[in-house]
Amino acid sequence: MKDALAIHRWLLAHQVHHEIVRLPRPMTCADELPETLSAAPERCLMVTVFEVATRVGNEAVVAVASSVATPPRPGAVGGLLGMRQARPAPAHVVNAATDYAYGLICPLLLPESLPMLIDDRLRADTEPVFTATGERHTALAIRALDLLTLLPGKMVDLCSTRPRGSREAVARRH
């Protein structure tokens, strides 16, 4: 499993200014970052992993980076990808797909084979954001612009929940 030291070494190798923050109490998931750090939920990031099913029955896994304040909805992710179904992945799938502890996924150092979507509501500014490190006792503080520059995913609009096309039922006239 990846941890704060692996993230720290990778960021040092890429000469990115950051801080590994020791938390005052352990957390079980990234949702607890705002309360644990006394930070705004918009400045705390989380990674949610979804299992998505295509219309022909194939399944895949996709990661979504978003703020804790606006977690992604499965319907929005499925609609965006044009998938038949999207649901949060169970812990064993998340652990295997990300190499991080379930609930404590850092958006950095994810496998290249794992597609990542990035919520476009995340602001690319010079203020720090906080994210989990895979460990219960630490968090990563990094400038939002630096983090978003390093992420390999695609920026997407997760606000819209309607899939492409109309869902209205129209009665045919005879």
Side-chain angles (χ1 to χ4, degrees):
M1 289 282 176
K2 294 183 183 133
D3 59 6
L5 184 57
I7 296 165
H8 175 67
R9 287 179 175 159
W10 189 84
L11 289 169
L12 283 176
H14 287 82
Q15 300 180 348
V16 177
H17 182 71
H18 66 283
E19 180 181 357
I20 301 295
V21 179
R22 187 99 169 117
L23 301 176
R25 63 180 179 276
M27 62 179 183
T28 58
C29 65
D31 291 344
E32 298 172 12
L33 277 169
E35 183 182 320
T36 305
L37 291 170
S38 298
E42 298 80 22
R43 305 305 300 177
C44 297
L45 305 186
M46 62 188 281
V47 175
T48 308
V49 178
F50 290 95
E51 285 184 318
V52 293
T54 64
R55 302 204 188 288
V56 293
N58 296 334
E59 291 203 0
V61 179
V62 63
V64 180
S66 65
S67 76
V68 171
T70 56
R73 293 185 308 277
V77 173
L80 179 73
L81 297 173
M83 297 293 176
R84 180 176 52 83
Q85 181 183 25
R87 64 183 177 274
H92 70 280
V93 171
V94 172
N95 294 346
T98 65
D99 202 26
Y100 281 106
Y102 178 80
L104 300 173
I105 305 162
C106 180
L108 298 172
L109 299 180
L110 291 172
E112 289 181 23
S113 61
L114 179 65
M116 178 184 273
L117 304 175
I118 305 163
D119 191 339
D120 67 358
R121 292 174 283 186
L122 297 177
R123 293 186 308 225
D125 56 24
T126 58
E127 295 300 312
V129 292
F130 303 93
T131 185
T133 62
E135 297 177 351
R136 297 179 53 182
H137 297 279
T138 60
L140 171 66
I142 186 171
R143 288 184 341 153
L145 180 61
D146 291 339
L147 180 64
L148 293 174
T149 301
L150 293 169
L151 295 182
K154 178 181 177 183
M155 296 290 278
V156 295
D157 176 13
L158 291 173
C159 290
S160 62
T161 57
R162 283 186 81 170
R164 295 193 175 107
S166 175
R167 299 189 95 194
E168 292 181 17
V170 179
R172 294 171 53 162
R173 292 187 179 210
H174 297 285

